[in-house]
Amino acid sequence: MRAGFIILTLLSTPALAAGDQELLQEQCGSCHSLSGPAPDSAQAYRDRKGPDLGYAGIKYRAEWLEQWLQKPIRNRPAGMFYGKHIKTGPKGDVVDEASLKPHPKLDAAAARAATNALMALKEGAERVKAGDYKTGTISLSMGEMLFDKFRGCLACHQVEPGYGGVSGPEVYTIGKRLQADYLVSFMRNPKIWEPKTIMPARKLKDRDLQKFVHYFNALAAEDFQ
């Protein structure tokens, strides 16, 4: 991720030591914003190469992040903005795999250092309430009924490889990669995190927010990858 990457000029992140700022700018700055604000125009949102990382420390699970950086597997089937990576196939629109670039791999030491630095980025922490998610369970069948039939989320998200929509990230690893309290906050009001997101604000009741995270955890336990 070092050689050959253009380093963007980024706003400083006071919470980080100078060495960590330099590390993240070198490792991640060419494709990710490391500080806010989030894109406030549709064009800027579509032009993003990767997700914003200014709040990585309250979004991602550190263990998953460190492993993923060493062996990155795409969790957005059609990239950051699906409209750029779709082509017409014999049975309708399909993902144009040739248009998608693989994420660079880091060795173990670099992945650990990058993870430690990313977990210190907690912009917008006030939007997440510790303990907002209450541990619980739901059956896969009931979870899928809520996710698909009642809320229509399957149109944009995959619940297992190849099953579901491609305009949003898959959700079968989301229980491993994202922190539960962040998930509740994001689903409650996606636009406070990404003003131009295509994710609809469904005005979900708290009991449904909890059930969604129960379902994501149940999917993650299936270990599809």
Side-chain angles (χ1 to χ4, degrees):
M1 209 172 187
R2 296 173 181 270
F5 274 75
I6 301 172
I7 307 304
L8 298 183
T9 301
L10 300 170
L11 297 174
S12 63
T13 308
L16 292 178
D20 288 337
Q21 290 183 41
E22 183 178 350
L23 169 70
L24 289 183
Q25 288 177 3
E26 183 178 349
Q27 300 280 11
C28 312
S30 61
C31 295
H32 300 272
S33 170
L34 302 180
S35 60
D40 60 0
S41 72
Q43 186 62 51
Y45 184 79
R46 289 194 296 268
D47 287 344
R48 294 186 309 166
K49 295 180 180 180
D52 296 343
L53 296 179
Y55 45 92
I58 54 179
K59 177 179 180 180
Y60 296 107
R61 294 181 180 271
E63 181 180 1
W64 174 86
L65 187 57
E66 183 175 338
Q67 294 176 353
W68 189 87
L69 288 170
Q70 297 173 69
K71 188 179 179 182
I73 299 173
R74 192 188 319 135
N75 51 55
R76 292 176 176 268
M80 281 301 295
F81 184 66
Y82 74 100
K84 294 183 175 182
H85 305 289
I86 295 295
K87 65 180 181 180
T88 301
K91 295 184 179 180
D93 290 344
V94 296
V95 177
D96 181 6
E97 296 287 343
S99 70
L100 293 164
K101 296 181 180 180
H103 192 283
K105 297 180 181 180
L106 300 183
D107 61 33
R112 187 173 305 112
T115 297
N116 289 338
L118 285 167
M119 295 309 292
L121 300 180
K122 298 185 178 183
E123 178 188 329
E126 70 281 356
R127 304 170 197 158
V128 176
K129 180 182 177 182
D132 216 2
Y133 170 62
K134 309 299 188 296
T135 302
T137 60
I138 193 172
S139 68
L140 285 172
S141 59
M142 290 301 295
E144 185 171 336
M145 186 175 295
L146 172 66
F147 191 81
D148 180 14
K149 294 187 181 300
F150 295 163
R151 295 298 180 180
C153 306
L154 197 68
C156 298
H157 303 276
Q158 294 187 357
V159 296
E160 61 182 75
Y163 181 57
V166 299
S167 59
E170 49 84 356
V171 298
Y172 51 84
T173 68
I174 205 170
K176 292 181 178 179
R177 57 187 165 89
L178 300 187
Q179 296 182 39
D181 290 338
Y182 165 81
L183 273 171
V184 172
S185 175
F186 182 83
M187 289 188 295
R188 181 180 286 130
N189 188 355
K191 290 190 181 297
I192 66 171
W193 294 96
E194 299 181 11
K196 296 301 179 180
T197 183
I198 61 174
M199 172 84 170
R202 292 295 180 88
K203 298 181 179 180
L204 298 171
K205 294 182 179 180
D206 185 70
R207 64 173 179 267
D208 285 341
L209 292 170
Q210 302 295 324
K211 288 177 181 178
F212 270 120
V213 184
H214 298 341
Y215 177 52
F216 298 151
N217 290 338
L219 285 174
E222 292 293 293
D223 200 21
F224 287 106
Q225 292 184 352

